[in-house]
Structures are given as structure tokens and as C-alpha cells.
Amino acid sequence: MTVRFTGKKPSRRAFLKGTLASTAGVVAGAGAANAAGPDPLITEKQEWAMGTGEGVDATPYGLPIKYEDDVIRRNVEWLTADTISSINFSPIHALDGTITPQGCAFERHHSGAIELRKEDYRLMINGLVDTPLVFTYEDLERFPRVNKTFFLECAANTGMEWAGAQLNGAQFTHGMIHNMEYSGVTLRTLLEEAGLNAAGDLKDKWVYVEGADASSNGRSIPMEKALDDCMIAFKANGEALRKEHGYPARLVVPGWEGNMWVKWIRRIEVSDSAVESREETSKYTDTLEDGTSRKWTWVMDAKSVVTSPSPQSPIKHGKGPLVITGLAWSGRGAITRVDVSKDGGKTWETARLANPGQPMALTRFYLDTEWNGEEMFLQSRAMDETGYVQPTKAMLREVRGENSVYHNNCIQTWWVKADGEAENVEVS
Amino acid sequence: PALAGKLGLGREALPEEIAAWNLDVHPDGSGLPVGSGSVEDGEVVFIENCAVCHGEFAEGSGNWPKLAGGEGSLADKDPLKTVGSYWPYLSTVYDYVRRSMPFGAAQTMSDDDVYAIVAYILYSNYLVEDDFVLSNENFLDVEMPNAGGFIVDDRNTSEAHFWTEPCMENCKEGEVKITMRATVLDVTPEEEGAAEE
């Protein structure tokens, strides 16, 4: 699979592929319900119903079937100077439910995805603790364990869209996100093992966390958050972390910007001031219109996006029943409601949550509807348990201008045309 | 539970181990090693180790980060954020260069070389003279132009109006019109070669 730039829309390929998917030569667009005659896929004996499939020893660890090979991470070359300190995107347009398959969950590295064996792994706790400690990976597995599901959203997700509609597809505009079930140890447990009496009043204390990679990705976290719900995770979606997601251990910082989820975590330092590292001064600070900048914008606000239909997931079935679906999430708590508009925000319908919203985790929504074949301006609007309502881009720009880079949680509009294709647009 | 009972896991970290990994430098200068470096020496070290990406005058090369320039541009349509125009603390420059640069060969510089590079970056931003020598002694004397340019996250107040009862009907006057289209820009990568049957 290669990716290149051309003058054609990405949806065109997906569109053609959809109509040619059947190998049995069924007329394009003709579904089983309105086929003119008997369907040969039914009336003729098929090979898979006569011979045998693969044995159980064929695939000790499997990958998706080849027909799903467009459900992959994608890179956008021009975004960064190289692919080592760069980003790729989860194919959220093609996924459903809430759990992101690890193999296509987005990556963001600052000095590449390093290979760190469990045997070589060390975690240090130092600074204002009673006893500075070193743990091996084996030590970590002996602490009381917790199991929680959270979204990780890059602070820069949707960042390219501040000044206008730019990238054409939910994968590119909203795909710097994944949602996994983590198993690990709470940061509180580890800090208490080192002892926090030496730190005195914990209120004004910080922990500085850094990775084992060359970039280190050091970030300062207030003690209150560290003791609340942060985790050192070593399993995700049931298995060991993938190399590119921090194997063998990473930090989980529920609801907060992905940069703080330090991968390959090697050190936790308790201190009485924030380090004000590169990743919280030069980067991950948000410049406002007057030239001042917000720092420590940790929490990711309520946000949502329609994943289908969308530019990479056009309507191919014509008029009639249509499932509009998407994802909603909030770093401030659980999603309580998602509204969907088909007319660019003039009128809204409340969608159905597939499951009750969980705090700081992705929530799937559906709007089961009828499409009359007319164009739509599709939008979704999330609400969370604090009463926060996802704003429009205009509302955000009014407060922040267009140079914040990070934290763009605006309402997204897809222009669904009469032919079923969709495009990323801004509307009045 | 306040302080749970200890499990006795892990072992005490040795001073040499802490020294090897604890490299962070705080804005108040704590964590700085003893040492010094001049603009003059910094120019040599910078040109040998840094200029291929960051330019001979720290002005940047190609798509690589610019470390100098952009003074007074933060409120512009396209601000240029560099050490001189944007970074609030010099400690971050020392900390980041020593720990993570050069890109691809991090942690190969001596403490004095890092002082020299930082001095040269200051000079490239017209913040010190060409005979300046930076050391752990005078480190905090350097004034960073944008030190006062940051506020702590104020969304709870400046965006308090986002907590609201949302409109459901007749929420916009007149016709909804397209004001911008992504396909006009046409910068989205196109997939190729997916499952040709």
C-alpha cells in the first residue's frame, strides 16, 4: 500500500470499490432484494461451501482479511518534516463500536517507535519521595492491578482544520485518537510505594514523567491528577502494548491530551514546581488571537464526529434506510447526549447512544434514519455530564482566533451530495 | 485510602542511577550542571551538529524547526514561534538540547557544549552579544522576551458560555451555505492499491 497525492478525491476509489465488491458478477448496485433473477451466489454451489478453509495452525496470530486492507493507519506527508517525529491516523471512518484495534490505532512519536525489551525495562521514582525506587517490569506485574477503558486523543487532533476545511476524511480530521481497555497499576500505588511523606503538603506538588526514548517527552502533571486516576499500563485491549504504543509500559492520563500519556515511561519525579519542559512551553501551548498563549490546557473537551457517512465512507446504497453513526467523547466525564443535524445546524435530532457513556471513553452513537436522496449538511454535537455542549468552529474562533493549533473540538460538517459522496466543508 | 501499606516491591535507586536519568532543569535553574560555554564556541558546535537541519544562523532549513526569528509575530496571521519569539524559559532550551538533540544522536553533547549551543541560539536571536559566555552562574540573568506571554488554562471562565442548553429547532436564520471546501485545497493523500480483485 502506498499513499500519494493526486487530483482525485479519496472517496472516489472507495466508491468504485464498493460497487465492484462482488466477485460473482452481480450487476453493480443491484442488491439481493431487487435482483432480476435467482442470485447465483445462492443457486450455484460456492467453493467455500464445498471445499475446506484454512487449518487452525495456519495463523498463530492473525491479521484482518485482505478485503479489509484499506482499514489502516495513514500518514499525511506534508504535516511534518519527517516520519520519525510525526503522526498517523486511525481509520475511524471504517470502525464501529468503541474499542480501537491496536494494529490500526494511531501513532505519534517524537523520536520514533523504540524497541524496549521487558528485561531491559526500568522504572525510576525519585525526587521528593521517602525512598527513591527502581522497578523492573516484573515488579510492576506484582502490584494490585486495575482495568479501565479510556480514549487517548492527540492535542493536535483536528488542528489542521482551524483555518478552514482542509483534509477530506474523518480519518484525517479526527483520527488522532484511539480507545483501549488498559490493565496496569495506578500511579498512586507506585508513588505510595516510594512514600510521599517527604513531599509534605501534596497540594502544590508535581510529578514529572518522561519516556525512555531520545525525545523523552517529559511532561509535568499536578499531584492531584497523579493521585486521582493516572495509570501505568502494560496491557491494552487484553494483550501487551504494541511497540508503537509504549511497550512494555506507558502512562495513562484519563481525559487529558495525548502528549501526556508518556510511552516507554522510565521515570517519575516528584517535585515542588513544574519543569516547564519543551512539550509544555514550545509545544502544547495554545496561542490566542492577541498573541498570548494558554499553557497547561490538559483536558480534552467534549467532541464528536460522524464517521459514516463521511468522505471516506460515502452512501452507496441509494435512498431509504440509512445508519448515521459516529463517536463522541469528553475528557470532563461521560457523554450524556449526542444530537445530529442534517441541515447544517438549523434543526437537530437526538441520536441513540449504543451504550451509556463512560467517563473519558469513546461513546458510539447511531441515528437510524431515512435518506430521501437529497443533499445533507451532516453535523453532530456532543454533550457531557458537566453540561458542556460541543461548540461550533465559529464559537471557538471567537474566543481563541485561528492559531491555537491544539484543542480544536468544533462541530464537523460533512456535505453529503445527491450521489452519496461526502465532503469536508464549513458552512455559514 | 490515604497511604496504603507498602508491598516491598522495587529497590532503592542509587545516587549514580538518579544522576544518570534525572537531567531535568527547572525555570529557577535547579538541575543545571556546573559549566559554561561561549557564543564563539557555540557557533562551531552548532555548525557541526545542528546547522544541517536548523540552518547556520538557527533560522531553520526546509521544513525543520526555526530556532531564531519571529520577534513580535505572535499576534500575526501566521506567527513564527521560536526560542526568541516564543519560549518563556531558557531552562527549557538547555534541558531539551542536552536530553534530546541532535535529532538521531541525542545525549552525545558535553554539558559545556550544551551551554555553548544555548549561548549561540541566544545570539542568533539577538538576545546577547557575540562575546557572551553562558554559565550556570549567569543563566538566570538572561531575559526571555516572551516570559510573560503565557496564561494558565482559563477555559472554565473564558468559555463558560459553552455550558448551555443547546438549540434544537430554527437554530439558524436563512439558507445554510458552504463557505469552505476541503477538495478545493486538495491536499488529502489518496489510497492506492487497496484490494484490487
Side-chain angles (χ1 to χ4, degrees):
Chain A
M1 166 89 37
T2 57
V3 171
R4 67 181 171 88
F5 300 103
T6 77
K8 285 180 283 180
K9 293 184 284 291
S11 54
R12 170 62 62 188
R13 244 212 63 80
F15 196 79
L16 291 173
K17 200 183 147 203
T19 57
L20 296 172
S22 170
T23 53
V26 177
V27 178
N34 56 7
D39 184 348
L41 278 167
I42 299 170
T43 56
E44 290 172 13
K45 295 188 182 80
Q46 301 297 318
E47 190 190 343
W48 56 80
M50 301 167 73
T52 60
E54 278 181 348
V56 294
D57 59 346
T59 315
Y61 197 108
L63 288 171
I65 194 167
K66 61 184 175 182
Y67 310 115
E68 295 296 317
D69 72 354
D70 58 333
V71 186
I72 52 168
R73 296 189 276 234
R74 290 193 173 85
N75 171 40
V76 176
E77 223 173 300
W78 55 266
L79 280 177
T80 49
D82 70 307
T83 57
I84 304 298
S85 180
S86 194
I87 188 87
N88 63 27
F89 300 86
S90 306
I92 57 169
H93 64 286
L95 302 176
D96 209 320
T98 58
I99 294 294
T100 313
Q102 289 196 82
C104 65
F106 90 102
E107 302 165 72
R108 201 297 185 234
H109 318 301
H110 292 80
S111 51
I114 59 166
E115 194 171 288
L116 180 56
R117 299 191 313 161
K118 286 176 181 170
E119 293 85 343
D120 298 333
Y121 180 77
R122 297 291 184 273
L123 177 64
M124 182 184 291
I125 300 185
N126 71 304
L128 300 174
V129 293
D130 301 340
T131 312
L133 293 175
V134 172
F135 299 114
T136 62
Y137 178 81
E138 281 182 322
D139 293 332
L140 291 184
E141 285 202 336
R142 297 172 65 192
F143 283 97
R145 214 169 290 170
V146 289
N147 209 275
K148 299 264 189 180
T149 300
F150 298 112
F151 74 80
L152 184 172
E153 183 184 19
C154 179
N157 199 22
T158 322
M160 298 83 71
E161 304 289 311
W162 268 114
Q166 184 153 237
L167 286 161
N168 205 31
Q171 178 169 23
F172 302 107
T173 57
H174 291 76
M176 295 183 195
I177 194 165
H178 56 61
N179 193 67
M180 301 188 190
E181 184 202 51
Y182 295 98
S183 307
V185 181
T186 67
L187 187 48
R188 171 185 276 269
T189 301
L190 295 182
L191 288 168
E192 287 177 350
E193 186 70 16
L196 288 172
N197 293 324
D201 186 357
L202 295 179
K203 245 187 201 145
D204 56 351
K205 296 300 182 295
W206 295 79
V207 298
Y208 182 68
V209 284
E210 67 176 15
D213 62 315
S215 82
S216 101
N217 197 51
R219 287 291 307 251
S220 305
I221 298 177
M223 183 61 84
E224 189 185 1
K225 179 70 173 178
L227 294 178
D228 180 20
D229 58 3
C230 293
M231 290 169 66
I232 307 284
F234 36 80
K235 296 280 169 74
N237 295 348
E239 62 181 354
L241 296 174
R242 294 292 170 96
K243 174 178 76 174
E244 61 271 30
H245 297 139
Y247 180 94
R250 82 172 308 161
L251 192 67
V252 169
V253 192
W256 288 20
E257 60 188 13
N259 177 256
M260 307 177 84
W261 295 49
V262 172
K263 295 185 285 191
W264 313 290
I265 185 167
R266 81 169 190 185
R267 196 170 66 91
I268 300 159
E269 178 183 359
V270 177
S271 65
D272 51 17
S273 63
V275 170
E276 303 267 10
S277 69
R278 186 251 196 182
E279 306 294 329
E280 56 202 12
T281 55
S282 169
K283 307 298 175 192
Y284 307 100
T285 50
D286 313 351
T287 301
L288 303 169
E289 199 154 30
D290 67 359
T292 61
S293 303
R294 289 173 177 163
K295 67 175 182 180
W296 301 343
T297 47
W298 298 311
V299 72
M300 302 304 291
D301 279 315
K303 187 168 174 178
S304 68
V305 64
V306 171
T307 52
S308 182
S310 68
Q312 296 158 288
S313 181
I315 301 171
K316 293 178 286 202
H317 53 56
K319 296 176 199 175
L322 169 69
V323 174
I324 296 172
T325 186
L327 292 166
W329 61 95
S330 173
R332 297 182 187 272
I335 290 294
T336 50
R337 187 173 119 191
V338 180
D339 299 327
V340 171
S341 175
K342 298 171 191 165
D343 56 12
K346 288 179 98 155
T347 57
W348 296 85
E349 298 169 72
T350 298
R352 172 169 61 87
L353 303 186
N355 286 294
Q358 297 298 309
M360 299 163 285
L362 290 190
T363 301
R364 172 64 56 178
F365 67 85
Y366 298 106
L367 185 73
D368 309 297
T369 191
E370 286 275 320
W371 185 46
N372 62 12
E374 288 175 9
E375 68 172 21
M376 298 185 283
F377 292 115
L378 271 187
Q379 299 182 338
S380 62
R381 181 178 68 191
M383 282 179 73
D384 70 24
E385 61 182 320
T386 70
Y388 180 100
V389 180
Q390 184 184 1
T392 63
K393 202 186 285 187
M395 289 167 74
L396 286 173
R397 284 176 181 152
E398 202 181 318
V399 180
R400 308 185 195 172
E402 294 184 0
N403 283 323
S404 280
V405 182
Y406 307 107
H407 292 282
N408 186 350
N409 66 319
C410 72
I411 290 172
Q412 172 67 44
T413 308
W414 303 129
W415 175 29
V416 180
K417 301 164 203 180
D419 63 4
E421 293 207 50
E423 183 177 334
N424 176 12
V425 295
E426 286 187 11
V427 293
S428 56
Chain B
L3 290 183
K6 294 188 185 180
L7 294 162
L9 292 169
R11 51 112 180 142
E12 189 161 352
L14 301 174
E16 299 90 326
E17 294 171 330
I18 296 173
W21 277 9
N22 181 13
L23 298 175
D24 51 81
V25 181
H26 290 240
D28 66 4
S30 62
L32 276 176
V34 174
S36 67
S38 66
V39 170
E40 206 179 338
D41 290 344
E43 181 175 17
V44 176
V45 182
F46 193 90
I47 284 171
E48 277 177 10
N49 296 282
C50 319
V52 62
C53 296
H54 296 296
E56 290 196 7
F57 306 100
E59 80 282 17
S61 169
N63 212 1
W64 296 101
K66 298 167 173 54
L67 309 181
E71 313 82 47
S73 72
L74 298 179
D76 292 357
K77 187 170 168 50
D78 290 305
L80 174 54
K81 300 184 189 179
T82 69
V83 171
S85 71
Y86 192 63
W87 291 36
Y89 304 111
L90 193 60
S91 54
T92 314
V93 188
Y94 192 94
D95 175 293
Y96 183 68
V97 171
R98 176 166 66 157
R99 197 199 320 243
S100 298
M101 287 285 136
F103 189 61
Q107 304 197 65
T108 56
M109 300 278 186
S110 71
D111 291 346
D112 284 346
D113 279 350
V114 177
Y115 276 111
I117 288 172
V118 175
Y120 184 69
I121 293 172
L122 288 171
Y123 170 72
S124 301
N125 279 286
Y126 308 108
L127 296 174
V128 297
E129 300 297 322
D130 61 4
D131 59 354
F132 180 70
V133 180
L134 180 69
S135 72
N136 57 302
E137 306 268 316
N138 67 358
F139 198 87
L140 295 182
D141 298 344
V142 180
E143 283 182 37
M144 298 297 279
N146 197 40
F150 293 81
I151 57 168
V152 174
D153 185 4
D154 67 343
R155 281 176 286 176
N156 285 342
T157 51
S158 65
E159 296 174 5
H161 55 294
F162 295 171
W163 281 264
T164 181
E165 190 51 46
C167 175
M168 297 299 285
E169 303 260 351
N170 303 314
C171 304
K172 283 183 183 175
E173 306 253 321
E175 201 189 339
V176 172
K177 287 195 181 119
I178 293 171
T179 54
M180 191 156 325
R181 297 180 57 180
T183 56
V184 172
L185 274 174
D186 195 26
V187 290
T188 309
E190 178 171 8
E191 68 231 54
E192 227 187 31
E196 299 292 348
E197 291 307 311

